Amino acid sequence: MSMITTLILLFVIALSLSLVFTPMVRSLGIRFGAMDVPTARKVHTEPIPRIGGLAVFLSFVITSLLAITLIPNVSHFYKFSFNESLGYVGACVVLCCGLWDDFRRLNPWVKLFFQIVAATLAFMGGAKISALSIGITGVHFALITSYVVTVFWFLLLINAINLIDGLDGLAAGIVFFTSAAMVVSLTIKGQYLAASYFVILGGAVLGFLKYNFNPATVFLGDGGSYFLGYLIALLAVQGSVKSHVGVLMLIPLLALGVPIFDSILSPVRRFITGRSMFKADREHIHHMFLNLGLSSRKVVLIIYGITMFLCVLGILMITIRGRALFGPMLAVLLVGMIFLVRKLGYLEYLAFDKFYGWFQDVTDITGISQQRRSFLSMQIEVNRTQNMDELWENVVEALKMLHFDEALLCVDDGQIWQWQSEEGPDLLKPENSDSGHADCAYSDGLLKMEIPLKDNGDPDFLGKLVVIKDLNKGEIQPYTIRRLESLRRTLIPNLKRLKKPRTEN
């Protein structure tokens, strides 16, 4: 029996087992209450069993055991190794962790812990990324670096599949196309044992997909998505040449390009918008497609098409000799990614002005910016003043730095200090009220702020600072309000200090 015939046989066995096990597992989920109940962020409208990943797991394990024990073309390449078996123990760890979460919700940090434990078992079993090499260029990793890179690889693929599992048949279909691409690539490279595992995985997933495609009657659940992501990560590393990660490793990266992109972008946009890194939302790639008015089925088919294109691209990259087309292919990917990001509306999270504004705030608060240090110097000068006139002169200099046009300082004993820039009109008109405090009129198009000079919890009212800025002459800066508050805090103790001798007399 030829190797191709063997691969077809394994595919049929895994497919058949999956077609049998999935309805059984679905009934099990209904019986024990492992149901995905619709919520605001869910697309389905009725409770659906969410432990379908168990059927994929059983189909994969049983077919693999049959292959390595009864089928000569596979058993010839297989040699039992206790170390390698640790990787499959890790697969059971993530499966059990996910299944537990399907029945009873786990804390995100607990799930992350078990994912790291599973990745560590794979690393201990020899599935480690110890070098990165493409063509003649490469870099070797030290033990600690190799461990970190390997764990990151597993976490990336596990959570990529988990995050994309939001529409009927989406995650399972992507895994099927990825498995098909890996079978072709590994067969070309002569890695028949690894190709056999991916054939089995593809058959198991396709059988499950019959019940999971829209309208779905069973879901993968976290157990299934964790298992599939982990298994792809494990088999991809094992299928590479002696732990040297070369072009072959680009296949799962490209084939899983959509979920990987989503898993990287999700924490970035949550960080930018100030939300919890683990908080679920409806802003994943498939949700953004739905927001364009597309049906769930159309969104899945579109992402299938993107995945198939990426799979073909990945296969071409390992089959075409030389690197003449390598650059153009990457350019096509980059242009496509930019188009996708723009089309789905993600540019609002990645806009340059938002990053630049955030960077300005950071440099201003930390005192790195020259303007912040200059303003701090002016605050120090305010602390050194010996009388009210000197204090007002320094306050005026500080307000000039903030590009205000006029200002008025009114203290509780009725004294008033006023300043007006040379270009500004006479817009402040102090009028003594019965309380002895100044009132100020202002015109259209101006920003006016009245800042009370009073400590929180302190009954003494020291006065107020009134500032005016003509917005027609220039916009207010992002840091202006923050620095005005700093100036207020500087003024209060100095007003108390300078008024103290007068009060005592």
Side-chain angles (χ1 to χ4, degrees):
M1 185 167 54
S2 68
M3 195 64 211
I4 300 300
T5 304
T6 300
L7 294 177
I8 294 174
L9 175 62
L10 293 175
F11 179 81
V12 171
I13 294 174
L15 175 65
S16 302
L17 289 176
S18 185
L19 290 172
V20 172
F21 285 141
T22 302
M24 297 170 60
V25 169
R26 180 180 60 193
S27 300
L28 193 66
I30 296 174
R31 180 177 180 181
F32 289 97
M35 307 293 287
D36 194 316
V37 180
T39 61
R41 59 178 296 270
K42 301 290 186 178
V43 177
H44 61 284
T45 57
E46 296 180 358
I48 295 178
R50 52 179 296 159
I51 58 171
L54 183 60
V56 178
F57 170 79
L58 292 173
S59 302
F60 177 83
V61 170
I62 293 174
T63 308
S64 297
L65 290 175
L66 289 174
I68 62 179
T69 56
L70 301 178
I71 300 179
N73 280 354
V74 179
S75 60
H76 172 73
F77 296 102
Y78 176 79
K79 293 182 180 180
F80 175 78
S81 169
F82 174 78
N83 287 339
E84 285 191 8
S85 66
L86 291 177
Y88 297 99
V89 172
C92 295
V93 169
V94 293
L95 174 73
C96 293
C97 172
L99 285 175
W100 184 271
D101 187 60
D102 290 330
F103 282 94
R104 297 180 180 179
R105 290 299 185 183
L106 285 175
N107 183 284
W109 292 104
V110 175
K111 292 187 284 186
L112 179 62
F113 169 76
F114 281 108
Q115 291 174 16
I116 294 176
V117 169
T120 302
L121 288 171
F123 180 84
M124 294 171 58
K128 61 181 68 173
I129 301 176
S130 58
L132 176 63
S133 59
I134 298 178
I136 61 175
T137 61
V139 58
H140 289 264
F141 300 132
L143 182 63
I144 298 299
T145 305
S146 175
Y147 172 74
V148 172
V149 172
T150 302
V151 170
F152 176 77
W153 167 258
F154 276 88
L155 294 181
L156 179 62
L157 267 62
I158 290 172
N159 290 286
I161 299 299
N162 180 250
L163 288 177
I164 205 66
D165 187 25
L167 295 179
D168 296 351
L170 183 54
I174 290 176
V175 171
F176 172 75
F177 291 121
T178 302
S179 300
M182 288 300 295
V183 169
V184 174
S185 305
L186 289 165
T187 303
I188 292 173
K189 292 289 184 179
Q191 300 284 340
Y192 297 116
L193 182 61
S196 299
Y197 287 135
F198 273 108
V199 161
I200 295 170
L201 178 61
V205 169
L206 187 61
F208 169 80
L209 193 57
K210 178 184 184 300
Y211 304 95
N212 182 238
F213 195 73
N214 185 275
T217 59
V218 63
F219 290 157
L220 275 173
D222 284 349
S225 61
Y226 287 177
F227 170 71
L228 291 177
Y230 178 92
L231 193 61
I232 291 174
L234 176 69
L235 296 179
V237 175
Q238 289 181 342
S240 61
V241 183
K242 300 297 183 180
S243 301
H244 283 65
V245 184
V247 178
L248 184 61
M249 291 294 290
L250 289 176
I251 300 295
L253 282 176
L254 286 174
L256 299 175
V258 174
I260 287 176
F261 176 74
D262 191 31
S263 64
I264 293 175
L265 184 60
S266 293
V268 171
R269 58 179 169 76
R270 289 169 185 168
F271 173 78
I272 292 174
T273 54
R275 288 177 286 179
S276 170
M277 303 287 278
F278 297 110
K279 185 177 178 61
D281 54 39
R282 282 184 58 90
E283 297 181 18
H284 294 291
I285 286 180
H286 48 280
H287 291 133
M288 301 302 281
F289 271 117
L290 290 174
N291 292 340
L292 296 178
L294 300 174
S295 67
S296 176
R297 182 185 290 261
K298 285 184 178 179
V299 172
V300 171
L301 294 177
I302 288 173
I303 298 180
Y304 279 1
I306 295 173
T307 302
M308 291 175 63
F309 169 76
L310 293 174
C311 288
V312 172
L313 189 62
I315 294 172
L316 288 175
M317 292 178 73
I318 71 166
T319 55
I320 296 177
R321 297 181 179 273
R323 289 178 285 178
L325 295 179
F326 195 79
M329 287 181 177
L330 291 181
V332 170
L333 281 177
L334 181 61
V335 171
M337 183 182 69
I338 294 175
F339 173 80
L340 182 64
V341 168
R342 182 180 179 85
K343 186 69 175 176
L344 296 181
Y346 281 123
L347 283 179
E348 62 179 287
Y349 295 108
L350 305 175
F352 174 76
D353 60 333
K354 291 183 174 60
F355 278 105
Y356 182 65
W358 174 78
F359 178 75
Q360 281 185 313
D361 287 342
V362 171
T363 56
D364 190 70
I365 293 173
T366 57
I368 296 175
S369 67
Q370 187 270 336
Q371 295 91 341
R372 179 65 185 95
R373 287 181 280 116
S374 298
F375 192 79
L376 177 61
S377 175
M378 188 55 61
Q379 289 178 263
I380 294 173
E381 291 299 321
V382 171
N383 289 329
R384 292 174 178 173
T385 55
Q386 299 300 316
N387 55 62
M388 289 295 296
D389 290 331
E390 288 184 15
L391 178 108
W392 178 242
E393 289 177 4
N394 287 311
V395 169
V396 168
E397 292 301 318
L399 294 175
K400 287 180 180 179
M401 295 174 62
L402 298 178
H403 306 291
F404 280 97
D405 296 297
E406 295 189 41
L408 189 72
L409 175 62
C410 314
V411 295
D412 61 344
D413 59 4
Q415 296 186 86
I416 297 174
W417 284 265
Q418 185 175 358
W419 161 77
Q420 175 184 328
S421 65
E422 296 179 0
E423 301 84 4
D426 186 11
L427 297 168
L428 286 174
K429 298 177 181 180
E431 298 177 0
N432 289 329
S433 63
D434 295 338
S435 62
H437 300 156
D439 193 10
C440 307
Y442 64 99
S443 302
D444 292 339
L446 300 176
L447 171 69
K448 175 189 175 183
M449 298 185 65
E450 295 188 3
I451 305 168
L453 302 175
K454 180 179 180 296
D455 271 334
N456 292 333
D458 191 341
D460 294 333
F461 182 79
L462 302 174
K464 67 179 178 180
L465 176 66
V466 183
V467 293
I468 291 279
K469 177 174 177 58
D470 187 354
L471 295 179
N472 297 316
K473 295 166 54 178
E475 296 180 351
I476 188 171
Q477 298 299 313
Y479 50 75
T480 300
I481 305 299
R482 186 165 55 247
R483 291 188 187 169
L484 278 176
E485 172 60 15
S486 297
L487 182 60
R488 185 189 75 86
R489 295 183 181 183
T490 303
L491 271 174
I492 291 173
N494 283 285
L495 283 174
K496 290 180 178 180
R497 173 177 62 85
L498 294 175
K499 291 177 62 179
K500 187 175 182 180
R502 182 183 303 175
T503 302
E504 291 177 349
N505 289 336

